[in-house]
Amino acid sequence: MQTVTATPPNPVLPNPLREGLRLEQTPPPCAMVIFGVTGDLTRRKLMPSLYELAVGTPLPAGFSVVGVSHRGWDDATFRKEMRAAVAASQKEEMEDASWDSFAQGLCYLQADFNDAGAYGRLAELLERLDEERGTAGNRIFYLATSPSYYPTIVQNLGAAGLAHRPPPGEPADHQPWTRIVVEKPFGTDLPSARALNGEIANVFSESQVYRIDHYLGKETVQNLLVFRFANGIFEPIWNRQYIDHVQVTVAESIGIEGRGKFYEEAGALRDMVQSHMFQLLTLIAMEPPSTINAKTVRDEKVQVLQAISPFRGAAISGDVVRGQYGPGWIGGRVVPGYRQEPGVEPDSTVETYVAMKLRIDNWRWAGVPFYLRTGKRLPQRTTEIAIQFNKVPHLLFSRVGTMPPEPNVLTLRIQPDEGISLRFAAKVPGAMMQVRSVNMDFFYGTSFAARGPDDYARLLLDCMLGDSTLFTRRDEVEEAWAIVTPILDAWAGAPPPPFPNYEAGTWGPPEADALIERDGRRWRRL
């Protein structure tokens, strides 16, 4: 297939990716408290992102981080460990002066999350930071722990008077603020999600709660809004009259990477479909918001979830396929099956692959199927959204002996090689009338002269600025769980397929191919 590459803009133009960090807005001074600071999330994502913000944006000089965990560290040990974590993420050698400036705001509190007295000590430490570092009473509490600790931490924060819930109707301008960031998973089904949201709502108001899904921090995901609503040529054809179907693929070549215990409790439906994939789905299918702000954007996303036809009875067995990988080959090497992974039960029935067909019952999308698939140990790592348009109504060039062109496809690549591709038909040069499909491609890496911000860096900055547009609202979480919980319940009450049912290094079980082929369509081969 030929490729036509779009010409990159003049490199001296302003770089929108750096502007994406919103440098025109300076976050107010604040202290971020990270519960579970010794865990993998802090080392790989949070601390490198905070360092990137501190030295590149920059954050106010008084910005401080309080790490809370049970390990017997002190401030010096905490700073040493965090420097090693940040250094491991840097492509270039860190400057001592930059790190030393950032590290002055790092301090550590050894505490058991169940110890109510520890939250009193935390309050004293935060008051001292207000005096010494000028954090102005502004707080962000980040729950980077196991979800089982969420209710305990939230309750203790409330009991210690650290929630600072704003009175109804009182203006928040120029007042100290408190926010809480909650990592996914937000529950394991609809009842548990409602229970967790209720626990949080007893202590914090919804405006204080930032449920983080790092997919929404990815530059290409955010670009979906710009692509759809800042270009006049796409919105008129973004509907059932012109679109045949939509495919969303989130493929991973890796296995569970030592997270056997976690994955045994989660599985692909909870881990990927209910969160990441539904986020992509809502951005594709949502109606244009009246303005780009947290309320209007999230209102439209919720309406998409509410319009999805529910899965009941035969729809579950007919429109949802689950799989589990067995041994196979990835990248020229033999890899074990899921049941041979550390921490996995030898007869586990947890799914590592899900394919499903969704219907959105509204005016725009009636009759347009949305096909979702995600899995581990697939041939390659890729996340993409493919919009396939209808075939031409009359095969005009079939009379001259040429092959009929493939339907037009608009592909939005989330990772890797982030960009957008449009497939269309063109004549092959020469005397013969030959038609061939070609791609017109846009790549972020070649069109802009700098990389975009890390997804966590973008979301952390938005939290400091009080912008919750890219965070998940309570009703959105519950609507997503309302879609998948009937599937989970049906699976729990029915015998599983004969797992494993696909080899590592293949594109999933044959039932997934049958799911889409019975509609006269086929999965994209990536």
Side-chain angles (χ1 to χ4, degrees):
M1 184 176 289
Q2 296 180 350
T3 298
V4 180
T5 303
T7 303
N10 190 327
V12 302
L13 292 176
N15 181 4
L17 296 184
R18 294 307 300 170
E19 291 176 0
L21 281 176
R22 302 167 69 171
L23 299 181
E24 73 279 3
Q25 297 187 47
T26 302
C30 65
M32 177 177 288
V33 180
I34 303 176
F35 291 94
V37 76
T38 57
D40 187 55
L41 176 63
T42 303
R43 290 178 176 275
R44 291 190 306 108
K45 293 294 185 180
L46 300 185
M47 200 57 64
S49 295
L50 290 172
Y51 177 75
E52 176 186 341
L53 290 174
V55 301
T57 300
L59 298 179
F63 175 74
S64 303
V65 177
V66 179
V68 182
S69 186
H70 66 279
R71 291 191 186 178
W73 289 359
D74 56 15
D75 288 356
T77 305
F78 178 49
R79 292 168 183 172
K80 177 182 176 182
E81 293 286 337
M82 294 303 102
R83 172 159 189 158
V86 173
S89 71
Q90 301 294 302
K91 295 182 178 179
E92 300 178 358
E93 187 174 350
M94 292 172 57
E95 296 182 4
D96 289 341
S98 296
W99 172 258
D100 291 343
S101 175
F102 175 68
Q104 288 177 9
L106 303 184
C107 53
Y108 184 79
L109 178 67
Q110 181 183 2
D112 186 316
F113 302 144
N114 295 298
D115 178 13
Y119 297 83
R121 299 197 303 274
L122 176 61
E124 294 173 0
L125 175 55
L126 291 171
E127 290 176 2
R128 194 178 81 224
L129 290 174
D130 287 341
E131 296 176 4
E132 298 176 359
R133 302 272 301 166
T135 49
N138 297 322
R139 321 272 193 249
I140 297 175
F141 297 109
Y142 200 113
L143 304 187
T145 68
S146 166
S148 61
Y149 286 113
Y150 292 174
T152 299
I153 295 172
V154 167
Q155 291 166 11
N156 279 314
L157 287 172
L162 288 169
H164 298 157
R165 185 171 185 149
E170 183 174 304
D173 294 345
H174 309 299
Q175 298 294 322
W177 46 259
T178 298
R179 295 166 189 147
I180 184 166
V181 181
V182 185
E183 272 282 345
K184 79 175 196 70
F186 318 118
T188 58
D189 54 17
L190 181 57
S192 62
R194 284 175 172 165
L196 176 60
N197 282 331
E199 294 272 7
I200 295 173
N202 287 334
V203 178
F204 294 93
S205 68
E206 180 62 25
S207 64
Q208 294 177 284
V209 182
Y210 288 67
R211 299 172 189 83
I212 190 168
D213 185 336
H214 71 90
Y215 255 53
L216 288 180
K218 293 183 180 297
E219 198 69 39
T220 326
V221 174
Q222 297 170 50
N223 196 48
L224 278 169
L225 291 174
V226 177
F227 181 81
R228 285 195 58 194
F229 304 130
N231 296 292
I233 64 173
F234 297 111
E235 188 60 22
I237 60 173
W238 209 263
N239 56 59
R240 69 185 189 280
Q241 292 182 302
Y242 297 94
I243 293 176
D244 178 79
H245 73 278
V246 178
Q247 292 186 30
V248 182
T249 299
V250 179
E252 298 179 285
S253 59
I254 60 172
I256 56 174
E257 301 295 287
R259 299 190 306 156
K261 183 179 179 181
F262 163 77
Y263 213 81
E264 280 288 273
E265 298 176 356
L269 187 64
R270 289 185 173 98
D271 187 41
M272 294 298 297
V273 176
Q274 183 274 336
S275 55
H276 300 331
M277 299 193 77
F278 279 4
Q279 292 295 334
L280 297 178
L281 176 69
T282 56
L283 292 174
I284 302 164
M286 65 185 281
E287 294 297 319
S290 57
T291 57
I292 298 296
N293 62 41
K295 182 181 185 305
T296 57
V297 170
R298 297 194 292 182
D299 283 349
E300 297 300 340
K301 291 171 65 182
V302 168
Q303 289 189 37
V304 172
L305 296 174
Q306 291 173 336
I308 291 176
S309 181
F311 288 95
R312 297 191 182 97
I316 296 175
S317 59
D319 292 341
V320 185
V321 172
R322 52 177 163 162
Q324 185 189 94
Y325 66 84
W329 291 77
I330 296 282
R333 64 185 179 92
V334 178
V335 296
Y338 176 72
R339 292 177 175 179
Q340 288 78 52
E341 300 275 16
V344 173
E345 294 295 327
D347 58 350
S348 174
T349 59
V350 170
E351 78 285 354
T352 63
Y353 178 99
V354 173
M356 63 169 55
K357 175 183 176 181
L358 293 171
R359 300 170 181 84
I360 300 177
D361 294 331
N362 61 20
W363 188 269
R364 181 185 294 266
W365 297 113
V368 178
F370 286 72
Y371 299 98
L372 278 59
R373 61 173 170 167
T374 182
K376 291 189 176 294
R377 291 295 191 201
L378 301 183
Q380 65 187 60
R381 169 181 173 263
T382 187
T383 299
E384 70 161 39
I385 301 160
I387 315 292
Q388 180 165 315
F389 293 92
N390 293 326
K391 296 178 181 179
V392 293
H394 176 56
L395 297 178
L396 180 65
F397 295 101
S398 61
R399 296 182 180 180
V400 295
T402 188
M403 292 291 291
E406 299 178 63
N408 302 119
V409 177
L410 178 67
T411 305
L412 300 106
R413 297 182 300 272
I414 309 301
Q415 62 183 10
D417 302 326
E418 293 86 348
I420 301 169
S421 175
L422 177 63
R423 185 174 72 195
F424 59 93
K427 179 186 175 296
V428 178
M432 299 289 293
M433 175 58 74
Q434 292 182 307
V435 179
R436 183 180 299 173
S437 293
V438 298
N439 280 350
M440 182 166 60
D441 285 322
F442 153 71
F443 294 94
Y444 272 97
T446 56
S447 295
F448 297 104
R451 68 177 181 87
D454 174 80
D455 43 10
Y456 270 94
R458 171 61 188 262
L459 294 171
L460 290 171
L461 179 62
D462 278 357
C463 180
M464 296 175 198
L465 292 167
D467 184 351
S468 57
T469 304
L470 299 178
F471 295 82
T472 312
R473 202 168 61 191
R474 173 177 181 167
D475 54 347
E476 185 178 351
V477 169
E478 295 181 6
E479 290 291 346
W481 277 120
I483 297 168
V484 303
T485 296
I487 303 173
L488 292 168
D489 292 343
W491 286 356
F499 285 158
N501 59 355
Y502 71 98
E503 290 184 12
T506 65
W507 281 106
E511 292 82 2
D513 292 330
L515 168 69
I516 191 170
E517 288 172 0
R518 70 168 183 249
D519 295 337
R521 303 179 177 96
R522 56 187 173 87
W523 294 112
R524 285 169 48 80
R525 297 302 178 189
L526 308 176

